[in-house]
Amino acid sequence: MAKRVRGSRTGRPIMVLLDLLGRRWVLRIVWELREEPKRFRELQDAIGASPTIVNSRLAELREAKLVELDADTGYRLTPLGKELLRLFLPLHLWADKWAKAI
Amino acid sequence: MAKRVRGSRTGRPIMVLLDLLGRRWVLRIVWELREEPKRFRELQDAIGASPTIVNSRLAELREAKLVELDADTGYRLTPLGKELLRLFLPLHLWADKWAKAI
DNA sequence: GACCGGCGCTACAGAAAATGTAGTAATACG
DNA sequence: CGTATTACTACATTTTCTGTAGCGCCGGTC
């Protein structure tokens, strides 16, 4: 049985997206790039994951056209990535509220 | 070195939240519960994951007070969980746009 | 041209997490 | 009693992640 996108057998965009964002470190990487570009090692240190997995997640994010590598400044969000981030920004505020509630 | 929440050494709410949501199947489970409550097996079939992991993710989500189990109807989002979902709803629309772009 | 430092990235062994399948325990109905 | 449905667990196998070391490339500097 051919497996295509992990965890998504339908191929519906929302499922593909949820699967991508649900991979370890992906949300975190997007979050770390929210303000300015970061170098590979900066990113790795910031999130504290192994270079192996940072690299493979970056590869997935680049393939998804959410992140790109600029030789001069480092990894950064694409316009598409910035759009996605914009949807997530309210999360910051909500997280504080949530932390108080639990 | 004491590790607390996985992937989050700071304990800042946004990091804890990103870590929780970045675990495999978590976003998907919240998404599946967006409309009506679902039984354990319904949920398991809907997302196609093993019962082991469905159970442990549900446990994490229940601990985070985002999901609760109602004996009569099944698993459902708490008020807090519904708030979180509301932040994610635009994602559906955006996912279609994104799918066309890549 | 040999030696640095910074860069993105890879190799690889061991540890941790997820899968797939089977089965348990509780409850309710007949 | 048997059968059905429920949430959930056990466990061996497979996949993924971690931690550490190091490669290859490039632009200085002596």
Side-chain angles (χ1 to χ4, degrees), chain A:
Chain A
M1 183 166 292
K3 65 173 174 185
R4 35 217 98 154
V5 186
R6 192 191 76 184
S8 174
R9 321 196 200 292
T10 63
R12 283 163 56 206
I14 182 64
M15 296 306 174
V16 177
L17 182 61
L18 287 178
D19 176 51
L20 175 63
L21 298 180
R23 290 180 200 174
R24 208 160 172 179
W25 303 120
V26 166
L27 281 174
R28 182 66 189 277
I29 287 174
V30 172
W31 186 258
E32 290 295 337
L33 295 178
R34 72 192 177 285
E35 286 177 347
E36 70 277 314
K38 279 198 163 71
R39 294 285 174 192
F40 186 93
R41 277 190 173 77
E42 275 184 286
L43 207 45
Q44 194 200 317
D45 291 346
I47 70 180
S50 69
T52 318
I53 201 63
V54 172
N55 187 44
S56 68
R57 288 303 179 261
L58 282 172
E60 290 162 3
L61 282 167
R62 290 164 86 177
E63 197 180 350
K65 290 202 174 26
L66 297 176
V67 164
E68 62 191 357
L69 173 57
D70 176 77
D72 294 332
T73 59
Y75 284 99
R76 68 182 175 201
L77 297 176
T78 62
L80 214 49
K82 280 178 188 155
E83 271 186 39
L84 178 62
L85 177 67
R86 214 167 297 134
L87 295 179
F88 278 94
L89 282 179
L91 217 59
H92 199 179
L93 222 59
W94 186 85
D96 289 330
K97 180 184 172 183
W98 168 71
K100 281 176 198 128
I102 60 171

Side-chain angles (χ1 to χ4, degrees), chain B residues 73-92:
Chain B
T73 59
Y75 285 98
R76 68 181 175 202
L77 296 176
T78 63
L80 214 50
K82 280 177 190 157
E83 272 184 40
L84 179 62
L85 176 66
R86 213 167 298 134
L87 296 178
F88 278 93
L89 281 180
L91 217 60
H92 198 179

Side-chain angles (χ1 to χ4, degrees), chain B residues 24 38-41 51-52 55 58 62 69 74-75:
Chain B
R24 209 158 169 181
K38 278 198 164 72
R39 292 286 175 191
F40 187 94
R41 275 192 176 76
T52 317
N55 187 45
L58 282 172
R62 289 164 85 176
L69 173 57
Y75 285 98

